[in-house]
PDB file of all heavy atoms in Angstrom:
ATOM      1  N   ARG A 286     101.679  77.978 110.411  1.00 93.00           N
ATOM      2  CA  ARG A 286     101.636  79.147 111.279  1.00 93.00           C
ATOM      3  C   ARG A 286     100.710  78.758 112.450  1.00 93.00           C
ATOM      4  O   ARG A 286      99.460  78.992 112.438  1.00 93.00           O
ATOM      5  CB  ARG A 286     101.092  80.360 110.571  1.00 93.00           C
ATOM      6  CG  ARG A 286     102.043  80.914 109.548  1.00 93.00           C
ATOM      7  CD  ARG A 286     101.401  82.107 108.885  1.00 93.00           C
ATOM      8  NE  ARG A 286     102.305  82.984 108.219  1.00 93.00           N
ATOM      9  CZ  ARG A 286     102.422  83.090 106.861  1.00 93.00           C
ATOM     10  NH1 ARG A 286     101.719  82.289 106.055  1.00 93.00           N
ATOM     11  NH2 ARG A 286     103.292  83.940 106.363  1.00 93.00           N
ATOM     12  N   ARG A 322     105.922  76.087 112.941  1.00 98.00           N
ATOM     13  CA  ARG A 322     106.456  77.195 113.669  1.00 98.00           C
ATOM     14  C   ARG A 322     105.825  77.352 114.964  1.00 98.00           C
ATOM     15  O   ARG A 322     104.574  77.352 115.073  1.00 98.00           O
ATOM     16  CB  ARG A 322     106.333  78.466 112.810  1.00 98.00           C
ATOM     17  CG  ARG A 322     106.588  79.721 113.632  1.00 98.00           C
ATOM     18  CD  ARG A 322     106.621  80.933 112.725  1.00 98.00           C
ATOM     19  NE  ARG A 322     105.266  81.471 112.480  1.00 98.00           N
ATOM     20  CZ  ARG A 322     105.067  82.452 111.653  1.00 98.00           C
ATOM     21  NH1 ARG A 322     106.082  82.971 110.926  1.00 98.00           N
ATOM     22  NH2 ARG A 322     103.836  82.893 111.438  1.00 98.00           N
ATOM     23  N   ASP A 325     103.794  82.587 116.961  1.00 94.00           N
ATOM     24  CA  ASP A 325     104.534  83.779 116.625  1.00 94.00           C
ATOM     25  C   ASP A 325     103.577  84.904 117.018  1.00 94.00           C
ATOM     26  O   ASP A 325     102.754  85.399 116.165  1.00 94.00           O
ATOM     27  CB  ASP A 325     104.829  83.809 115.091  1.00 94.00           C
ATOM     28  CG  ASP A 325     105.574  84.994 114.702  1.00 94.00           C
ATOM     29  OD1 ASP A 325     106.113  85.737 115.547  1.00 94.00           O
ATOM     30  OD2 ASP A 325     105.555  85.335 113.498  1.00 94.00           O
ATOM     31  N   ASP A 329     101.426  92.100 113.917  1.00 75.00           N
ATOM     32  CA  ASP A 329     100.325  91.727 112.995  1.00 75.00           C
ATOM     33  C   ASP A 329      99.564  90.531 113.484  1.00 75.00           C
ATOM     34  O   ASP A 329      98.505  90.203 112.905  1.00 75.00           O
ATOM     35  CB  ASP A 329     100.907  91.549 111.545  1.00 75.00           C
ATOM     36  CG  ASP A 329     102.078  90.561 111.530  1.00 75.00           C
ATOM     37  OD1 ASP A 329     102.960  90.709 112.373  1.00 75.00           O
ATOM     38  OD2 ASP A 329     102.114  89.707 110.681  1.00 75.00           O
ATOM     39  N   LYS A 330     100.116  89.759 114.430  1.00 79.00           N
ATOM     40  CA  LYS A 330      99.456  88.573 114.899  1.00 79.00           C
ATOM     41  C   LYS A 330      99.301  88.607 116.444  1.00 79.00           C
ATOM     42  O   LYS A 330      99.987  87.906 117.167  1.00 79.00           O
ATOM     43  CB  LYS A 330     100.236  87.319 114.498  1.00 79.00           C
ATOM     44  CG  LYS A 330     100.340  87.154 112.958  1.00 79.00           C
ATOM     45  CD  LYS A 330     101.193  86.048 112.540  1.00 79.00           C
ATOM     46  CE  LYS A 330     102.664  86.452 112.739  1.00 79.00           C
ATOM     47  NZ  LYS A 330     103.465  86.693 111.550  1.00 79.00           N
ATOM     48  N   ARG A 348     107.989  89.929 121.132  1.00 95.00           N
ATOM     49  CA  ARG A 348     107.207  89.130 120.146  1.00 95.00           C
ATOM     50  C   ARG A 348     108.006  87.934 119.744  1.00 95.00           C
ATOM     51  O   ARG A 348     109.191  87.732 120.064  1.00 95.00           O
ATOM     52  CB  ARG A 348     106.860  89.972 118.924  1.00 95.00           C
ATOM     53  CG  ARG A 348     108.030  90.591 118.198  1.00 95.00           C
ATOM     54  CD  ARG A 348     107.636  91.305 116.919  1.00 95.00           C
ATOM     55  NE  ARG A 348     106.755  90.426 116.117  1.00 95.00           N
ATOM     56  CZ  ARG A 348     106.390  90.659 114.907  1.00 95.00           C
ATOM     57  NH1 ARG A 348     106.854  91.698 114.226  1.00 95.00           N
ATOM     58  NH2 ARG A 348     105.628  89.797 114.242  1.00 95.00           N
ATOM     59  N   PRO A 383     109.974  81.412 115.856  1.00 98.00           N
ATOM     60  CA  PRO A 383     109.863  82.692 115.108  1.00 98.00           C
ATOM     61  C   PRO A 383     110.711  83.868 115.599  1.00 98.00           C
ATOM     62  O   PRO A 383     111.015  83.865 116.871  1.00 98.00           O
ATOM     63  CB  PRO A 383     108.374  82.989 115.307  1.00 98.00           C
ATOM     64  CG  PRO A 383     108.060  82.433 116.603  1.00 98.00           C
ATOM     65  CD  PRO A 383     108.942  81.223 116.813  1.00 98.00           C
ATOM     66  N   MET A 384     111.041  84.814 114.697  1.00 97.00           N
ATOM     67  CA  MET A 384     111.714  86.070 115.122  1.00 97.00           C
ATOM     68  C   MET A 384     112.911  85.841 115.998  1.00 97.00           C
ATOM     69  O   MET A 384     113.031  86.479 117.098  1.00 97.00           O
ATOM     70  CB  MET A 384     110.624  86.862 115.901  1.00 97.00           C
ATOM     71  CG  MET A 384     109.447  87.262 115.053  1.00 97.00           C
ATOM     72  SD  MET A 384     109.833  88.487 113.839  1.00 97.00           S
ATOM     73  CE  MET A 384     110.705  89.664 114.755  1.00 97.00           C
ATOM     74  N   MET A 409     113.714  80.754 112.392  1.00 98.00           N
ATOM     75  CA  MET A 409     113.354  81.620 111.349  1.00 98.00           C
ATOM     76  C   MET A 409     114.298  82.803 111.297  1.00 98.00           C
ATOM     77  O   MET A 409     114.609  83.379 112.388  1.00 98.00           O
ATOM     78  CB  MET A 409     111.937  82.144 111.444  1.00 98.00           C
ATOM     79  CG  MET A 409     110.911  81.041 111.142  1.00 98.00           C
ATOM     80  SD  MET A 409     109.248  81.803 110.971  1.00 98.00           S
ATOM     81  CE  MET A 409     109.410  82.536 109.341  1.00 98.00           C
ATOM     82  N   GLU A 411     114.456  86.367 110.265  1.00 97.00           N
ATOM     83  CA  GLU A 411     113.507  87.364 109.873  1.00 97.00           C
ATOM     84  C   GLU A 411     114.077  88.791 110.298  1.00 97.00           C
ATOM     85  O   GLU A 411     113.432  89.816 110.025  1.00 97.00           O
ATOM     86  CB  GLU A 411     112.116  87.173 110.487  1.00 97.00           C
ATOM     87  CG  GLU A 411     111.572  85.878 110.300  1.00 97.00           C
ATOM     88  CD  GLU A 411     110.167  85.788 110.909  1.00 97.00           C
ATOM     89  OE1 GLU A 411     109.249  86.038 110.237  1.00 97.00           O
ATOM     90  OE2 GLU A 411     110.096  85.322 112.090  1.00 97.00           O
ATOM     91  N   GLY A 432     112.123  84.199 106.651  1.00 96.00           N
ATOM     92  CA  GLY A 432     110.807  84.874 106.506  1.00 96.00           C
ATOM     93  C   GLY A 432     110.998  86.229 105.826  1.00 96.00           C
ATOM     94  O   GLY A 432     111.327  87.205 106.490  1.00 96.00           O
ATOM     95  N   THR A 433     110.846  86.237 104.555  1.00 95.00           N
ATOM     96  CA  THR A 433     111.131  87.443 103.801  1.00 95.00           C
ATOM     97  C   THR A 433     110.204  88.592 104.092  1.00 95.00           C
ATOM     98  O   THR A 433     110.508  89.785 103.860  1.00 95.00           O
ATOM     99  CB  THR A 433     111.165  87.184 102.287  1.00 95.00           C
ATOM    100  OG1 THR A 433     109.967  86.503 101.936  1.00 95.00           O
ATOM    101  CG2 THR A 433     112.358  86.344 101.852  1.00 95.00           C
ATOM    102  N   ASN A 434     109.024  88.312 104.573  1.00 90.00           N
ATOM    103  CA  ASN A 434     108.039  89.397 104.884  1.00 90.00           C
ATOM    104  C   ASN A 434     108.609  90.243 106.039  1.00 90.00           C
ATOM    105  O   ASN A 434     108.770  91.506 105.882  1.00 90.00           O
ATOM    106  CB  ASN A 434     106.700  88.877 105.297  1.00 90.00           C
ATOM    107  CG  ASN A 434     106.141  87.864 104.323  1.00 90.00           C
ATOM    108  OD1 ASN A 434     106.469  87.920 103.158  1.00 90.00           O
ATOM    109  ND2 ASN A 434     105.280  86.970 104.780  1.00 90.00           N
ATOM    110  N   ASP A 435     109.014  89.601 107.069  1.00 93.00           N
ATOM    111  CA  ASP A 435     109.543  90.375 108.259  1.00 93.00           C
ATOM    112  C   ASP A 435     110.973  90.881 107.935  1.00 93.00           C
ATOM    113  O   ASP A 435     111.405  91.943 108.313  1.00 93.00           O
ATOM    114  CB  ASP A 435     109.520  89.574 109.505  1.00 93.00           C
ATOM    115  CG  ASP A 435     108.129  89.679 110.157  1.00 93.00           C
ATOM    116  OD1 ASP A 435     107.612  90.839 110.289  1.00 93.00           O
ATOM    117  OD2 ASP A 435     107.554  88.664 110.514  1.00 93.00           O
ATOM    118  N   LEU A 436     111.765  90.006 107.247  1.00 96.00           N
ATOM    119  CA  LEU A 436     113.127  90.413 106.959  1.00 96.00           C
ATOM    120  C   LEU A 436     113.089  91.735 106.145  1.00 96.00           C
ATOM    121  O   LEU A 436     113.922  92.573 106.349  1.00 96.00           O
ATOM    122  CB  LEU A 436     113.893  89.291 106.204  1.00 96.00           C
ATOM    123  CG  LEU A 436     115.384  89.564 105.977  1.00 96.00           C
ATOM    124  CD1 LEU A 436     116.094  89.772 107.280  1.00 96.00           C
ATOM    125  CD2 LEU A 436     116.038  88.377 105.173  1.00 96.00           C
ATOM    126  N   TYR A 439     112.128  94.706 108.472  1.00 97.00           N
ATOM    127  CA  TYR A 439     113.181  95.174 109.330  1.00 97.00           C
ATOM    128  C   TYR A 439     114.383  95.733 108.596  1.00 97.00           C
ATOM    129  O   TYR A 439     115.041  96.646 109.075  1.00 97.00           O
ATOM    130  CB  TYR A 439     113.614  94.071 110.317  1.00 97.00           C
ATOM    131  CG  TYR A 439     112.554  93.633 111.269  1.00 97.00           C
ATOM    132  CD1 TYR A 439     112.063  92.294 111.341  1.00 97.00           C
ATOM    133  CD2 TYR A 439     111.933  94.563 112.096  1.00 97.00           C
ATOM    134  CE1 TYR A 439     111.078  91.971 112.176  1.00 97.00           C
ATOM    135  CE2 TYR A 439     110.866  94.227 112.904  1.00 97.00           C
ATOM    136  CZ  TYR A 439     110.456  92.878 112.983  1.00 97.00           C
ATOM    137  OH  TYR A 439     109.456  92.595 113.841  1.00 97.00           O
ATOM    138  N   ARG A 445     105.160  96.604 107.968  1.00 79.00           N
ATOM    139  CA  ARG A 445     104.548  95.864 106.835  1.00 79.00           C
ATOM    140  C   ARG A 445     102.999  96.071 106.848  1.00 79.00           C
ATOM    141  O   ARG A 445     102.370  95.685 105.891  1.00 79.00           O
ATOM    142  CB  ARG A 445     104.881  94.341 106.897  1.00 79.00           C
ATOM    143  CG  ARG A 445     104.374  93.652 108.181  1.00 79.00           C
ATOM    144  CD  ARG A 445     104.936  92.253 108.267  1.00 79.00           C
ATOM    145  NE  ARG A 445     104.155  91.211 107.780  1.00 79.00           N
ATOM    146  CZ  ARG A 445     104.284  89.936 107.937  1.00 79.00           C
ATOM    147  NH1 ARG A 445     105.319  89.496 108.686  1.00 79.00           N
ATOM    148  NH2 ARG A 445     103.494  89.042 107.500  1.00 79.00           N
TER     149      ARG A 445
HETATM  150 MG1   MG B 602     107.354  86.663 110.153  1.00 91.99          MG
END
Side-chain angles (χ1 to χ4, degrees):
R286 292 178 160 109
R322 170 170 80 186
D325 183 17
D329 51 316
K330 296 173 287 253
R348 58 173 311 194
M384 298 288 310
M409 285 193 75
E411 309 183 87
T433 49
N434 307 334
D435 277 313
L436 186 60
Y439 295 123
R445 66 191 262 193

